[in-house]
Amino acid sequence: MGTLALIETLDRDGSVRQSHKVQAWPVRVGRSLDNDIVLDDPHVAAFHFTVDANEDHGVFVAVGDTVNGVTVGAQRLAAGERWHVGARPADITAGRTQLNLRLAEHTLSPEKALTASRVFAQSPSVLLWLVLLNLLSVGFTTYLATDPELLPRTLASNGMMLAAIVLVWCGAWTLLSKLFTRRGHFGWHLRVMLTALLALELLGFVASLLGFAMSWDWLTAYDYIPEMAIAALALYLHLQAVEPHRHRFTRGFAVGALIMGLAVGAWRHWQDHESLASELYMTALYPPVFRVADGVSADAFVERLAPFEKALDEKAAEPTDPDDEDGEAEAEVESGK
């Protein structure tokens, strides 16, 4: 007699961990060594379930003496219950172990096209260049924003902070990759993060420089949109090393994170200053030599401020909170003392 069925024990990612060819019925599954398939799962009974065939060659799953029962597809079976196998392979869950039962008469699904797998191994030279570029970026921005006396201490502090953030972030993703794929892919996660940091730094510089040169204040006012897009792309690339065979899931998760991030960012900006923009005016000023757009005369600038006068007058005419007035009066008395 040939092979009657195939029972496969699956990992959490769906890959086959153990395969058992069924040459005769019944097949007993459980933790006891007397079983045909032994499961090392503390949530599985000694004789958890049996797969057997009746006289008319119908195959069924019979649940043994177990507290947790058996789940077949979406149906929960308690101890003593039976479930007859249909025309398709059955997904069986016993305890925390997933199994797949496929009979010889089950029709095979069509072959799936093999998608190109991403190469996660990274060249040390590429990673070294990314580390150096990020250090130069942090050093340059720190130099621009720090007094000369405090520069050495601030450089060391910012460098150590960057190293700690990168190691913690990449370490967490490496642990996830190890759990799901048995490979850490630390170099891949390091490359993704360092590239994303450089892209964010370059985006901020280009947006502020072009905004200043062309008087396009919207470039910096809505810069959080491309920033969220870069973060979502980095999240997608990180997930590729955790779930390399579930492209649709990783893409959907990244797009959902992007939409959620944009919604939260827009809501926060509206709560702060009743505008979807991240800033009300351009905060980065460059030397006049970078200016391309035509300048505005003082009279024209004052003219443009005229529409704001009425709104400011109305705001100033609003009655103040009596509690605030009492507080101000008490503060004046205290200061007079």
Side-chain angles (χ1 to χ4, degrees), residues 164-305:
I165 293 174
V166 169
L167 289 176
V168 170
W169 180 261
C170 296
W173 280 108
T174 300
L175 178 60
L176 285 176
S177 298
K178 188 70 173 178
L179 289 174
F180 285 91
T181 66
R182 297 191 179 89
R183 295 183 180 179
H185 305 304
F186 178 79
W188 170 259
H189 294 300
L190 182 62
R191 179 179 178 178
V192 170
M193 183 176 186
L194 294 179
T195 304
L197 290 176
L198 286 176
L200 290 172
E201 193 68 30
L202 182 62
L203 172 68
F205 173 73
V206 172
S208 61
L209 181 59
L210 280 179
F212 173 80
M214 307 301 297
S215 287
W216 294 342
D217 55 347
W218 53 269
L219 279 177
T220 55
Y222 297 96
D223 58 354
Y224 67 93
I225 297 178
E227 288 176 355
M228 288 290 181
I230 292 174
L233 177 59
L235 175 62
Y236 168 73
L237 294 175
H238 279 306
L239 287 172
Q240 285 290 288
V242 178
E243 291 285 359
H245 305 298
R246 301 178 63 184
H247 301 287
R248 183 178 299 179
F249 167 77
T250 52
R251 283 196 297 267
F253 191 89
V255 171
L258 172 61
I259 296 173
M260 181 67 69
L262 291 176
V264 172
W267 176 78
R268 288 187 59 187
H269 298 323
W270 186 265
Q271 291 292 320
D272 290 341
H273 37 68
E274 296 185 357
S275 173
L276 297 180
S278 59
E279 57 184 26
L280 298 179
Y281 53 87
M282 192 176 298
T283 57
L285 298 178
Y286 291 87
V289 69
F290 292 107
R291 185 76 175 173
V292 176
D294 295 333
V296 179
S297 64
D299 294 336
F301 179 75
V302 173
E303 243 179 75
R304 292 183 182 181
L305 295 178

Side-chain angles (χ1 to χ4, degrees), residues 102-184:
R102 178 160 61 91
L103 303 181
E105 57 266 26
H106 284 159
T107 303
L108 287 176
S109 59
E111 180 187 6
K112 294 183 179 180
L114 184 63
T115 56
S117 57
R118 195 178 296 275
V119 178
F120 296 111
Q122 300 301 311
S123 170
S125 60
V126 173
L127 297 177
L128 180 60
W129 274 109
L130 287 173
V131 170
L132 291 176
L133 289 174
N134 274 273
L135 289 176
L136 288 175
S137 174
V138 171
F140 182 68
T141 53
T142 304
Y143 167 75
L144 293 178
T146 309
D147 293 334
E149 296 82 4
L150 303 176
L151 183 59
R153 184 192 307 172
T154 308
L155 276 175
S157 175
N158 290 350
M160 293 176 62
M161 184 180 300
L162 175 65
I165 293 174
V166 169
L167 289 176
V168 170
W169 180 261
C170 296
W173 280 108
T174 300
L175 178 60
L176 285 176
S177 298
K178 188 70 173 178
L179 289 174
F180 285 91
T181 66
R182 297 191 179 89
R183 295 183 180 179

